[in-house]
Amino acid sequence: MIKFIETTPWWFLILLYVTTLTLGTLIGAPLVIQAYDLPNPVEVTRLFVLVPLIKVHYLLPLLLAVTFGLKFVKSKGQKPLTLSFIIASIILVPVVFYGLQLSDIYLYAEA
């Protein structure tokens, strides 16, 4: 376990967390506001920022799984594969996380 912690690419975890917040706020919130016709867009945007902070226990296992996948892909030694995995992770982690949390965001915004 200590070896895993020492060799974990922390920059990748930070990058994924920041892109999750950014993509959720800039792309996800406007899409949800428009799709569900929610009355208070400022509140929904704030929820898209707060949910990764509040529900970090849902996001952290996803981030760790993707980081483990990156370590596995990097061990293969193919640069194009590693680059495509990083790009796919940057796009898919926010989609999966906010997709799982969308019903909660909708309930919070409607209340």
Side-chain angles (χ1 to χ4, degrees):
M1 184 68 180
I2 293 174
K3 180 128 173 106
F4 176 74
I5 292 172
E6 289 176 352
T7 60
T8 300
W10 295 104
W11 61 269
F12 188 61
L13 285 172
I14 294 168
L15 175 73
L16 285 177
Y17 192 77
V18 169
T19 56
T20 299
L21 286 171
T22 305
L23 290 177
T25 304
L26 299 177
I27 296 173
L31 285 174
V32 169
I33 291 166
Q34 186 178 19
Y36 293 109
D37 196 29
L38 295 173
N40 195 352
V42 174
E43 184 178 333
V44 174
T45 304
R46 288 180 184 160
L47 283 171
F48 267 82
V49 173
L50 287 176
V51 165
L53 300 172
I54 295 170
K55 298 200 174 198
V56 72
H57 56 282
Y58 291 117
L59 183 59
L60 191 60
L62 184 61
L63 293 177
L64 289 176
V66 171
T67 303
F68 182 72
L70 177 66
K71 287 176 64 174
F72 178 74
V73 168
K74 282 177 81 173
S75 70
K76 298 292 183 187
Q78 297 177 352
K79 291 268 186 196
L81 180 65
T82 303
L83 183 62
S84 63
F85 184 83
I86 290 172
I87 292 170
S89 298
I90 287 172
I91 294 169
L92 289 177
V93 165
V95 168
V96 169
F97 175 72
Y98 284 117
L100 294 172
Q101 302 303 319
L102 191 58
S103 64
D104 290 339
I105 291 172
Y106 179 75
L107 290 176
Y108 295 148
E110 283 290 318

